[in-house]
């Protein structure tokens, strides 16, 4: 049995109201891929709560690691603090902060392009009035989906589809 030669911090933001199942599956896939490459993964999970965040960051700063992955959602101030504390961090499913001068890499889905593709497909299938369901208005995912819808509307001269906002809880889907 080989000893792990690279230690990696996995810092995961899982607010109480968010796409938790998706993020946990993503986290699990990242962890499996890293351990398959002989990495030791140290996991830190936040909930969006400030006290929990302070403990998370203090613990993560005490752990020596060769790389840091930040996965999922954090309030802007917390994300800014993490990016400053871990220069060169790799953000997964998070575009980062647009006005940040900090050093980080971001691997995120192109939600705007996905929205354009989805609308195009739905219209090709004969659905003239698609309904768009997103998360909170301030969430980056929601902003990107809406931007993709606006782009589609402008390119194809269509009317803006109805958008329903949720908070990612089962109750908001009813």
């Amino acid at each position: 049995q080989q000893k792990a030669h690279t230690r990696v911090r996995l810092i995961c933001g899982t607010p109480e109201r968010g796409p938790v199942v998706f993020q946990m599956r993503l986290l699990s896939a990242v962890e499996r891929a890293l351990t398959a490459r002989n990495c030791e993964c140290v996991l830190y999970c936040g909930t969006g709560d400030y006290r929990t965040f302070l403990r998370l960051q203090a613990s993560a700063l005490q752990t020596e690691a060769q790389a840091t992955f930040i996965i999922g959602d954090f309030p802007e101030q917390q994300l800014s603090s993490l990016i400053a504390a871990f220069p060169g961090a790799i953000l997964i499913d998070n575009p980062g902060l647009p006005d940040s001068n900090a050093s980080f890499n971001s691997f995120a889905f192109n939600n705007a392009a996905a929205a354009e593709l989805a609308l195009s497909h739905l219209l090709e299938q004969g659905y003239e009035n698609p309904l768009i369901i997103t998360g909170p208005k301030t969430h980056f995912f929601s902003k990107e989906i809406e931007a993709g819808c606006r782009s589609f509307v402008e390119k194809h001269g269509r009317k803006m589809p109805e958008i329903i906002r949720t908070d990612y809880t089962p109750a908001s889907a009813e």
Side-chain angles (χ1 to χ4, degrees):
Q1 183 177 8
Q2 285 186 325
K3 183 179 177 188
H5 60 82
T6 302
R7 178 174 290 158
V8 177
R9 286 182 208 92
L10 298 177
I11 301 174
C12 186
T14 55
E16 195 172 298
R17 295 175 181 246
V20 176
V21 173
F22 170 77
Q23 289 176 347
M24 290 301 99
R25 287 182 176 159
L26 180 60
L27 174 64
S28 181
V30 169
E31 186 275 336
R32 284 192 311 270
L34 290 169
T35 56
R37 288 163 180 78
N38 208 27
C39 293
E40 173 187 8
C41 298
V42 182
L43 176 63
Y44 302 91
C45 290
T47 62
D49 171 72
Y50 189 65
R51 283 185 183 201
T52 302
F53 171 75
L54 290 176
R55 286 191 299 266
L56 174 154
Q57 186 168 353
S59 295
L61 283 166
Q62 292 178 10
T63 302
E64 190 174 316
Q66 287 74 38
T68 300
F69 289 80
I70 300 173
I71 302 168
D73 298 329
F74 285 92
E76 275 193 23
Q77 289 179 319
Q78 293 178 18
L79 182 59
S80 179
S81 182
L82 286 171
I83 291 170
F86 302 105
I90 300 166
L91 279 61
I92 299 179
D93 192 35
N94 190 319
L97 301 170
D99 298 326
S100 176
N101 291 327
S103 169
F104 66 90
N105 294 293
S106 175
F107 295 93
F109 302 99
N110 187 336
N111 295 309
E116 285 190 62
L117 285 171
L119 287 173
S120 179
H121 173 75
L122 289 169
L123 288 171
E124 287 171 6
Q125 300 303 310
Y127 297 96
E128 290 294 319
N129 297 305
L131 175 66
I132 306 300
I133 301 174
T134 69
K137 186 175 187 168
T138 58
H139 192 278
F140 73 86
F141 171 82
S142 302
K143 291 177 184 178
E144 291 173 4
I145 293 292
E146 195 166 328
C149 290
R150 277 194 308 277
S151 177
F152 180 85
V153 165
E154 290 169 11
K155 286 179 187 173
H156 300 283
R158 308 294 287 201
K159 70 174 189 156
M160 187 70 169
E162 180 182 357
I163 296 176
I164 294 179
R165 300 191 189 289
T166 69
D167 64 4
Y168 298 119
T169 62
S172 71
E174 294 176 355

